[in-house]
């Protein structure tokens, strides 16, 4: 197991480095020059200014050298300096990471819980009206653009009913501490987390449903019935547990991508997360910052993949640590 | 083939899905012929609510353009983007996944690392970068969406193949001296199909919405109208003019629903056990 | 009649859904189960045995329904029970053992917990007491090292151990009635004997009424007090075991009995002058699975220094207990897995040296019939394709190939329409051909060409196989071979759908027949006029069959039908097996053997 | 009404500023927030007359080459250090290196001297008409010498916690959430500022900004914070006041770059046809909600020397078609590059495309994001492209740069991107900048306007107006021609 983890980590690091290199070129292929963007923002652009900027950012150096310097930085855990924000990339990401993790993990938990719940119901009543209703319900949140769902939520819960705040991470200026602060943050969290969670819910609902139907037909379920166990116990202990395995897999894949995938939710709810940071960096061609976010996202995905693998192996006693 | 249609038509979800898809596709194909006016044309006063003028039954948008015409023309692009990019994603993802799963070892390692590269970058950002690099157009959009959506397909297929290749009927095919291609195509892939179908029918929705997000950022094909574009464009005025967003939104929803129903029906129809026995 | 019946099934009719092969799965069956007696229900596949059993447990599938009749138990009609009533009875008063020990246990739960659930379901005992009872039960059914076993997961147990665990569970609450639906079919001969003995003993000790379902007349002979013969959902014959065996009344019963192969191997022509068809020299294979959490790598020696050869026209039987490496050797010979060491020669070709195209080209010279007939048919391809694929791959004109496939199907007793059917559809055949019939057909066909001699070789679980024989390793073989998905599951896999399919056991025989036909067709297509020398050993005894080619190319088929191990036992006693090998076999084996001839 | 003291204002800032050190970064949001922290020597009335800020008074020499500023006494930096002439000298030096616009503006300065702590003398190489217009805080913010002199400006820690002389002090910046400024108790104007705190809330989505205002979470939506379509709805809300004032100094003017170098657009008649073909009234009314004004030429009506005595281009598709025909336009493809600044601009792009198509111009829209668009424009790889630029109150500062041939430089935006080259115009702008007196300048610039409008080097669209929406209880928010960017020092809350 230890060697398994070590091997995975090693492979992960290699993949990460490859990703850094590829990203480096990919991003630079996109038209647009950060110096020109910044010059544009400054409301003036003359030769000297642009040249100065380019020198300042090291953009005048040949690409391979830039790459070398960047990779060297990454290897020493230095993600570089953001041209535009004039701050170390690591610091900028660090400021945003907690909010993103809070949002995505909550959304993730919501989607998993609801998805499994609905999936279970749908499977339980497969072929009935309830089943169809659940499928349609789940697909509504899947097929509706997130910003639309988000806006509807805001209109309903913030504007009309005034229950929940419509934006931000906490009440600005309230200076709450301790429990009150936690409640405040939670209130702000509900809507974005729900919006994001409901989107991913559809997949889990469908996955759980299919998987439950599958497992339900297996022999050991009949054994359990022959024992005289109640239906609830059978569903929970025998069917659901086995049915969850593929859901766990899928969840592992999602948990990583969620992190960078929350751009729209973060934007609509003004959630100070990494998604927006990345998006702004992309629009500004803030190369180092963008690369930094990509690297962090990739690392997260790899870490989450590893964690799911481990969890999976723990949950399913049949799995060996084959490498 | 006859058998296939028969069983497809037997499942109610398949029938409903098929009806929806056929309707949507015929709108996409023939609608623009019946509606020769460009959907970009400003025909009425802006923000005209729906059902007030029969000439513009679904009202007008912020510039006074006919929402109904937009829906008709948008069907073409949206369905094209959704279906083609999903198809391309399948064409890329399925063979990669199949080869990784079937050959294992180094091939698997290399292919999966390659997949990871596309998988670990947030797909939305990657799509933006790709479209920006390739210049926005319907082709580059489809390409980019396909490029960011194939990794899950590959992973899924790989997983399935990994387990299927140890099945005895696969080994039976091996011992009769059949080629690897044949074995993958005939013995393995058909049995790995059903989760792929479920995934693919969900992917169509993602693709349509991704196109919408892209056009919201100004990276859509500016010369073609799409449902996603309409939803994005109507978003900011949703408070004044719900209809601009809601109608194309519902169109997307119904198409996605239809495709998922087809997916379900297809799944049953392709599964000989279900198709002939019922359930 | 002595004791009053514990359960009395009266005129039971179970309706099948529309479009099924017949309107009623069970059509007016009446039978009584008495305390302390074992009623064996026999009959061909699809005759409605399992339906009866499931009706008794209230576990009928949703698609079927009881049309009429009653099941009296303790003064109540079970068919009128509501869900709660059933829940109360199941496990406590009525218990059931299922056919498939591999899939009947929840793979994610420890054995002990699954046993304890029995008490939990009926609100008995405290959790701690439940654990203690589970341990005691494990001990009672003779599970080795019970402390370990209750903490083990199902996949860590051998098939026999799992079946014991199932039995322990079924007996936990001392039920009045035990229903056993082919509990030993999936087990090897030694284990089967032990399990039968166990059931018999427990049943006697507790004075249980037992309904025992089986295909196997050997088993019937072993344990039945009463025999009920079912056909097409109707009881065709019923009576004490001895009567049914010695004086069968109904033609069907006679046919069933006739289909049981006799014990005497026929005289064979000597084959000494024949050339070597297959030569296996020093095959070694060790499976290495890397360890789990802080565990070491696990190594299983599946083959160590295996040497044998097969002469042209000869059939070699490879026998051994479950997990002794039979399938592994077959796979090595087939080059489905790579040997660590050793050579396999087919005629003059060294198969182990080939790879890629060359290997593919040589593949047709040796063929294999797989252990699990269901698993070895692609569920999404029609039978016709499955059979013809091989010859077509070898360059035969598809039309010709299909014609041959049709001929072959006819040869194994299937009509030409079978070409167009999918494997699972053989459960719905109008005239179900159960495996005895299928076997008989094979034999007939073999007989026509038959000549030659049969040898058997016991794969000795010697020192080199010690690792494989550790109790926790044994089930690996079952799992690895039958359940490759579950053992080698990766996190990105979905749960395996094959398991559900495995329940379609009814048509297994047909499928096996078809698979075999495929192999043989191929043989003919490639070499022309292939025949099998099977003689009376027919599917009964042989793990791998060589199909000698009248031309030059020898064919080898592997067909370890675990289910027939009981017959194999008989076979083994008759051939001159080295004493050492015999003594290695388990006591049950040795003990049961002499009884057999008398019964038959 | 007497101003009341106290209270907190929540305003929206969009997008999030990349930094707050005005001398280092100068985009819109930075100016808006930092205008409260930093100050310039002067500020400008809505009529763009200079008013004292850090400079108490100023005088211009007879030859218009020497400007003498008397600094206000008793001004301190937020850290308590006094503000003196040395700071001004240092700021000039620093800005020349870090602030592109300041460098251009100061190009005519020969030397800067400080005869005493409270006097600064600028000596110019030649008279420069707009010189008194370059001292606003965004164009020339004063930087604390004691904190920056001799340090690496780029990494100076005070970049993240800027220290100025302004009415508000920097307190806190939660990245992605808000920026908090607090009252400067030692502000040099007695009694000001009135507010205790300002929260600049960072809300990236326009619709969410509307909602934030509606639900009372923010009180001020500076110009451009919400989509134009939403303005009428918001302005009808209770207690809501809307003003278009505060943009006089910047006078944003929107136009279409027309690439004069190549293709059909090299022909003046085609460019004129474009002007006739576009329905600018429609754009104003529908897309900009009736705000702003149809532009008549290169100068916005709010800046100096504007004249409307120029040829007019009303919406006239027939005339456009005729001109196209005359020019022999044969349906060559023309690429249109919209501005990726949000929905309004996208809609505008679509409307213009439709207008042009209606007269038979074969338009293909090219989509890009902002960075990609800038690159294309800078590389002259376009035919028609949207833009809008500030004019900074004087044609010499904000107009000439787009039309003189010396400002043609590849790889940059905002200069003479269209490639228009006319020696007469070059000369007029060169003379205009240095001419004295004012009447002479007026004459020159009016002439230039006429020529340009006739030539149509670019297609002028609208003088934009970005309405500021706020609660009516917010008083005196906008008092100068610089608007919200000039800080909230006069604003107070009527509770
Ligand atoms: N793929 C594998 N990986 C690891 N171990 C394996 C694998 N396949 C088989 N084994 C182990 O090798 C041994 C021999 O297995 P094999 O399947 O050859 O037995 P068998 O004689 O065919 O048994 P059965 O009668 O049950 O079919 C067993 O201990 C089994 O656990
Ligand atoms: N779930 C089901 N739905 C519909 N028909 C079924 C189902 N299961 C079994 N049948 C049908 O009911 C009949 C009796 O089946 P049953 O399983 O009782 O046979 P069996 O005697 O147990 O055969 P085997 O020896 O193969 O186990 C068969 O014709 C079969 O096709
Ligand atoms: Mg049965
Ligand atoms: Mg085997
Ligand atoms: Ni299985």
């Amino acid at each position: 197991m230890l060697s398994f983890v070590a091997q995975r980590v090693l492979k992960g690091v290699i993949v990460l480095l490859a990703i850094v290199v590829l990203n480096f070129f990919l991003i630079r292929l996109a038209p647009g020059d950060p110096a020109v963007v910044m010059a544009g923002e400054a409301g003036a652009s003359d030769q000297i200014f642009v040249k100065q900027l380019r020198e300042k950012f090291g953009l005048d150096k040949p690409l391979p050298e830039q790459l070398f310097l960047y990779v060297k930085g990454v290897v020493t855990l230095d993600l570089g300096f953001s041209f535009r924000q004039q701050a170390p990339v690591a610091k900028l990401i660090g400021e945003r990471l907690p909010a993103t993790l809070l949002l995505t993990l909550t959304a993730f938990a919501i989607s998993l819980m609801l998805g499994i719940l609905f999936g279970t119901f749908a499977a339980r009543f497969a072929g009935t009206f309830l089943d169809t209703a659940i499928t349609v319900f789940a697909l509504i949140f899947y097929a509706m653009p997130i910003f639309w769902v988000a806006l509807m939520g805001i209109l309903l819960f913030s504007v009309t009913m005034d229950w929940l705040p419509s934006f931000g991470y906490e009440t600005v200026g309230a200076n709450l501490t301790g429990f009150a602060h936690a409640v405040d943050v939670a209130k702000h969290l509900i809507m974005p987390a729900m919006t994001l969670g409901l989107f991913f819910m559809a997949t889990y609902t469908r996955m759980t449903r299919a998987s439950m139907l599958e497992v339900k037909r297996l022999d050991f379920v009949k054994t359990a019935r022959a024992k005289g166990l109640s239906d609830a116990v059978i569903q929970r202990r025998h069917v659901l547990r086995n049915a969850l395995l593929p859901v766990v897999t899928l969840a592992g894949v999602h948990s990583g991508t969620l992190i960078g995938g929350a751009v729209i939710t973060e934007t609509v709810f003004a959630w100070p997360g990494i998604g927006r940071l990345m998006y702004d960096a992309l629009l500004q061609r803030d190369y180092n910052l963008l690369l930094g976010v990509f690297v962090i996202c990739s690392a997260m995905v790899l870490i989450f993949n590893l964690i799911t693998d481990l969890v999976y192996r723990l949950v399913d006693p049949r799995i060996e640590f084959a490498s | 083939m006859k058998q296939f249609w028969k069983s497809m038509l037997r499942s109610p979800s398949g029938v409903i899905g098929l009806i929806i898809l056929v309707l949507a596709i015929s709108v996409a194909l023939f609608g623009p012929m019946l509606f020769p006016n460009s959907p970009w044309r400003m025909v009425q006063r802006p923000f005209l609510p729906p059902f007030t003028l029969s000439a513009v039954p679904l009202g007008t948008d912020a510039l006074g353009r006919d929402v109904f015409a937009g829906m008709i023309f948008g069907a073409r692009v949206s369905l094209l983007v959704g279906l083609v990019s999903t198809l391309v994603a399948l064409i890329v993802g399925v063979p990669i996944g199949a080869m990784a799963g079937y050959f294992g070892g180094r091939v698997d390692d290399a292919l999966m690392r390659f997949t990871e590269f596309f998988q670990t970058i947030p797909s939305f950002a990657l799509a933006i970068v790709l479209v920006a690099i390739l210049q926005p157009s319907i082709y580059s959009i489809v390409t980019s969406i396909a490029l960011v959506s194939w990794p899950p397909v590959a992973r899924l297929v790989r997983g399935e193949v990994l387990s299927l290749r140890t099945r005895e009927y696969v080994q039976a095919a091996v011992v009769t001296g059949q080629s690897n291609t044949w074995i993958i195509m005939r013995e393995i892939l058909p049995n790995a199909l059903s989760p792929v179908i479920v995934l693919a029918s969900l992917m169509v929705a993602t693709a349509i919405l991704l196109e919408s997000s892209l056009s919201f950022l100004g990276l859509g094909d500016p010369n073609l109208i799409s449902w996603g574009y309409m939803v994005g464009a109507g978003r900011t005025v949703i408070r004044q003019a719900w209809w601009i967003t809601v109608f194309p939104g519902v169109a997307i929803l119904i198409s996605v629903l239809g495709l998922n129903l087809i997916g379900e029906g297809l799944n049953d129809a392709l599964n000989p056990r279900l198709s002939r026995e019922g359930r | 009649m002595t004791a009053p019946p514990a359960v009395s099934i009266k005129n039971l009719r179970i309706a099948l859904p529309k479009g099924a092969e017949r309107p009623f799965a069970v059509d007016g069956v009446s039978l009584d189960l008495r305390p302390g007696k074992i009623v064996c229900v026999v009959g061909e596949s699809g005759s409605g045995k399992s339906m009866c059993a499931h009706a008794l447990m209230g576990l009928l599938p949703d698609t079927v329904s009881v049309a009429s009749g009653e099941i009296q138990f303790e003064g109540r009609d079970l068919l009128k029970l509501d869900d709660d009533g059933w829940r109360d009875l199941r496990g406590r008063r009525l218990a059931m053992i299922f056919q498939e020990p591999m899939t009947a246990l929840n793979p994610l739960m420890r054995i002990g917990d699954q046993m304890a659930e029995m008490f939990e379901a009926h609100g008995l005992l405290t959790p701690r007491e439940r654990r203690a009872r589970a341990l005691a039960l494990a001990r009672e059914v003779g599970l080795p090292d019970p402390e370990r076993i209750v903490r083990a997961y199902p996949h860590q147990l051998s098939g026999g151990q799992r079946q014991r665990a199932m039995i322990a569970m079924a007996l936990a609450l001392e039920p009045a009635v035990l229903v056993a639906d082919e509990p030993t079919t999936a087990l090897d001969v030694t284990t089967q004997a032990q399990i039968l003995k166990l059931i018999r003993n427990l049943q006697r000790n507790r004075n249980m009424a037992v309904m025992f379902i089986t295909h196997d007349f050997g088993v019937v002979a072993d344990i039945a007090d009463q025999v009920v013969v079912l056909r097409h959902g109707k009881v065709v014959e019923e009576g004490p075991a001895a009567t049914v065996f010695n004086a069968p009344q109904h033609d069907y019963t006679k046919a069933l009995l006739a289909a049981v192969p006799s014990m005497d191997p026929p005289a064979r022509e000597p084959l000494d002058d024949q050339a070597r068809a297959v030569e296996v020299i020093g095959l070694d294979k060790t499976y290495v699975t890397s360890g789990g959490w802080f565990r070491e790598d696990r190594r299983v020696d599946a083959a160590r220094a295996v040497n044998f050869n097969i002469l042209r026209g000869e059939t070699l039987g490879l026998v051994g207990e479950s997990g002794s490496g039979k399938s592994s050797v077959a796979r090595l010979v087939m080059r489905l897995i790579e040997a660590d060491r050793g050579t396999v020669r087919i005629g003059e070709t060294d198969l182990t040296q080939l790879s890629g195209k060359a290997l593919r080209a040589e593949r047709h010279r040796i063929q294999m019939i797989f252990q699990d007939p269901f698993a070895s048919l692609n569920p999404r391809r029609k039978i016709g394709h499955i059979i013809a694929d091989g010859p077509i791959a070898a360059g035969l004109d598809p039309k010709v190939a299909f014609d041959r496939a049709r001929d072959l199907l006819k040869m194994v007793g299937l009509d030409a329409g079978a070409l167009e059917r999918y494997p699972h559809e053989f459960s719905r055949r109008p005239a179900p051909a159960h495996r005895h019939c299928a076997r008989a057909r094979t034999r007939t066909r073999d007989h026509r060409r038959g000549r030659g001699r049969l040898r058997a070789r016991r794969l000795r679980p010697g020192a080199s196989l010690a690792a494989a024989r550790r109790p926790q390793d044994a089930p690996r073989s079952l799992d690895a071979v039958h359940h490759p998905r579950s053992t080698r599951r990766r996190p990105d896999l979905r749960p395996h759908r094959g398991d559900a399919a495995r329940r379609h056991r009814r048509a297994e025989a047909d499928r096996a027949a078809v698979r075999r036909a495929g192999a043989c067709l191929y043989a003919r297509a490639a070499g022309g006029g292939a025949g099998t020398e099977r003689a009376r050993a027919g599917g009964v005894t042989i793990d791998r069959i060589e199909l000698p080619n009248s031309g030059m190319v020898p064919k080898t088929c592997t067909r370890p039908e675990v289910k027939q191990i009981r017959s194999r036992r008989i076979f083994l006693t008759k051939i001159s097996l080295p004493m050492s090998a015999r003594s290695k076999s388990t006591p049950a084996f040795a003990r049961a053997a002499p009884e057999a001839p008398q019964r038959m | 009404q007497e101003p009341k003291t106290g209270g907190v204002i929540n305003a929206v800032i969009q997008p999030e500023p990349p930094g707050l050190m005005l001398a280092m970064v100068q985009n819109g949001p930075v100016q808006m927030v930092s205008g409260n922290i930093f100050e310039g020597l002067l500020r400008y009335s809505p009529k763009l007359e200079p008013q004292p800020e850090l400079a108490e008074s100023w005088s211009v020499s007879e030859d218009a080459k020497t400007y003498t500023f008397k600094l206000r006494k008793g001004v301190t930096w937020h850290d308590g250090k006094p503000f003196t002439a040395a700071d001004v000298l240092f700021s000039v030096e620093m800005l020349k290196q870090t602030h592109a616009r300041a460098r251009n503006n100061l190009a005519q300065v020969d030397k800067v001297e400080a005869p005493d702590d409270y006097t600064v003398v600028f000596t110019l190489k030649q008279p420069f008409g707009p010189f008194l217009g370059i001292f606003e805080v965004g164009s020339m913010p004063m930087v604390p010498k004691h904190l920056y002199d001799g340090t690496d400006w780029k990494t100076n820690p005070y970049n993240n916690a800027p220290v100025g002389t302004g009415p508000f002090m920097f307190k806190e910046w939660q990245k992605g959430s808000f920026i908090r400024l607090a009252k400067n108790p030692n502000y040099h104007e007695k009694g000001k500022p009135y507010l205790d705190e300002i929260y600049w809330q960072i809300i990236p989505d326009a619709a969410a900004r509307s909602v934030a205002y509606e639900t009372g979470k923010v009180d001020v939506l500076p110009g451009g914070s919400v989509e134009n379509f939403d303005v009428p709805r918001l302005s009808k809300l209770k207690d809501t006041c809307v003003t278009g004032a505060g943009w006089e100094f910047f006078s944003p003017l929107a136009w279409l770059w027309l690439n004069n170098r190549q293709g059909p657009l090299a022909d003046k008649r085609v460019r004129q046809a474009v002007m006739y073909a576009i329905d600018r009234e429609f754009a104003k009314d529908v897309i900009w909600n009736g705000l702003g004004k149809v532009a008549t030429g290169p100068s916005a009506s709010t800046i100096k020397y504007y004249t409307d005595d120029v040829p007019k281009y009303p919406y006239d598709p027939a005339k456009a078609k005729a001109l196209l025909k005359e020019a022999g336009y044969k349906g060559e493809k023309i690429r249109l590059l919209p501005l990726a600044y949000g929905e309004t601009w996208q809609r505008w792009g679509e409307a213009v495309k439709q207008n042009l198509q209606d007269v038979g111009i074969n338009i293909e829209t090219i989509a890009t994001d902002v960075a990609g668009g800038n690159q294309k424009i800078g590389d002259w790889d376009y035919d028609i492209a949207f833009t809008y630029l500030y004019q900074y109150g004087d044609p010499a500062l904000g107009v000439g740069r787009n039309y003189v041939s010396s400002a043609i430089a590849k790889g940059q935006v905002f200069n003479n991107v269209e490639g228009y080259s006319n020696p007469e115009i070059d000369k007029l702008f060169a003379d205009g900048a240095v001419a004295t007196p004012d009447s002479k300048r007026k004459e020159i610039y009016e002439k230039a306007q006429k020529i340009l409008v006739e030539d149509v080097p670019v297609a002028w669209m609208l003088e934009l107006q970005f309405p500021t929406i706020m609660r009516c209880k917010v008083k005196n928010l906008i008092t100068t021609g610089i608007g919200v960017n000039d800080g909230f020092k006069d604003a107070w809350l009527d509770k």
Side-chain angles (χ1 to χ4, degrees), chain C residues 33-184:
Chain C
L33 305 180
R34 286 169 207 285
K37 296 276 180 232
I38 295 181
V39 175
C40 271
V41 180
V42 291
E44 66 191 12
S45 193
S47 55
K49 306 184 294 294
S50 297
M51 284 290 168
C52 283
H54 285 96
L56 182 50
M57 290 298 292
L59 292 175
L60 284 175
D62 295 337
T63 43
V64 307
S65 56
V66 175
S68 66
E70 55 184 70
I71 303 178
Q72 286 292 337
F73 175 70
E74 294 180 342
R76 272 183 291 184
D77 181 2
L78 291 183
L79 296 177
K80 299 213 169 69
L81 279 184
D82 59 4
D83 278 359
D84 282 336
W86 269 121
R87 221 170 284 142
D88 186 46
L89 282 186
R90 279 185 207 138
R92 206 167 54 81
R93 307 293 299 144
L94 309 169
M96 181 153 180
I97 307 170
F98 293 91
Q99 176 168 354
E100 275 280 0
M102 304 182 220
T103 54
L105 291 171
N106 186 340
L108 302 190
M109 265 174 100
R110 293 178 196 277
I111 296 291
D113 293 343
Q114 299 196 45
M115 288 182 177
E117 255 191 343
M118 209 69 186
F119 304 103
E120 191 197 332
H122 300 280
L124 304 169
L125 310 180
T126 65
R128 158 174 283 190
E129 287 168 338
R130 287 174 197 156
R131 275 198 296 277
R133 285 284 293 132
L135 194 64
L137 278 167
R139 201 164 278 132
E140 197 174 340
V141 296
L143 281 169
D145 196 0
E147 281 86 3
R148 187 184 66 81
I149 292 221
V150 290
R151 272 183 289 110
Y153 288 98
H155 74 279
Q156 294 165 327
L157 267 55
S158 77
Q161 289 169 339
R162 276 183 241 187
Q163 200 59 299
R164 277 173 206 263
M166 280 290 302
I167 292 170
M169 246 174 256
L171 299 177
L173 300 177
E174 315 223 331
V177 178
L178 179 69
V179 180
D181 189 355
E182 308 194 39
T184 56

Side-chain angles (χ1 to χ4, degrees), chain D residues 321-343:
Chain D
K321 279 185 196 158
L323 278 167
L324 285 173
K325 199 161 170 205
E326 196 188 315
Y329 172 72
K330 286 186 293 293
E332 292 94 329
K333 187 178 276 175
I334 288 182
R335 293 164 299 163
L336 172 69
L337 211 61
L339 199 54
Y341 278 175
E343 296 299 314

Side-chain angles (χ1 to χ4, degrees), chain A residues 214 219 223 237-238 249 321, chain C residues 103 117 120 290 491 497 503:
Chain A
E214 206 71 68
D219 288 352
T223 310
R237 195 180 295 165
H238 292 277
T249 311
F321 283 83
Chain C
T103 54
E117 255 191 343
E120 191 197 332
S290 69
R497 264 161 288 136
R503 292 180 309 137

Side-chain angles (χ1 to χ4, degrees), chain C residues 287 289 298 300 302 320-329 371 468 473-478 480-482 488 562:
Chain C
Y287 292 108
T289 347
R298 214 170 58 95
V300 177
E321 70 188 61
S322 182
S324 56
K326 303 180 294 295
S327 299
S328 299
V329 170
Q371 179 158 5
D473 293 333
R476 278 291 299 171
S477 71
L478 294 171
V481 175
H482 306 294
R488 257 158 272 153
V562 184

Side-chain angles (χ1 to χ4, degrees), chain D residues 12 29 82 88 106 113 133 144 174 185 212 246-247 283 308 348 360 367 379 396 398-399 411 425 453:
Chain D
V12 148
V88 180
L106 293 169
E113 290 151 323
Q174 292 261 329
W247 290 93
D308 70 349
W348 202 0
D379 289 347
V399 180
I425 286 292
V453 175

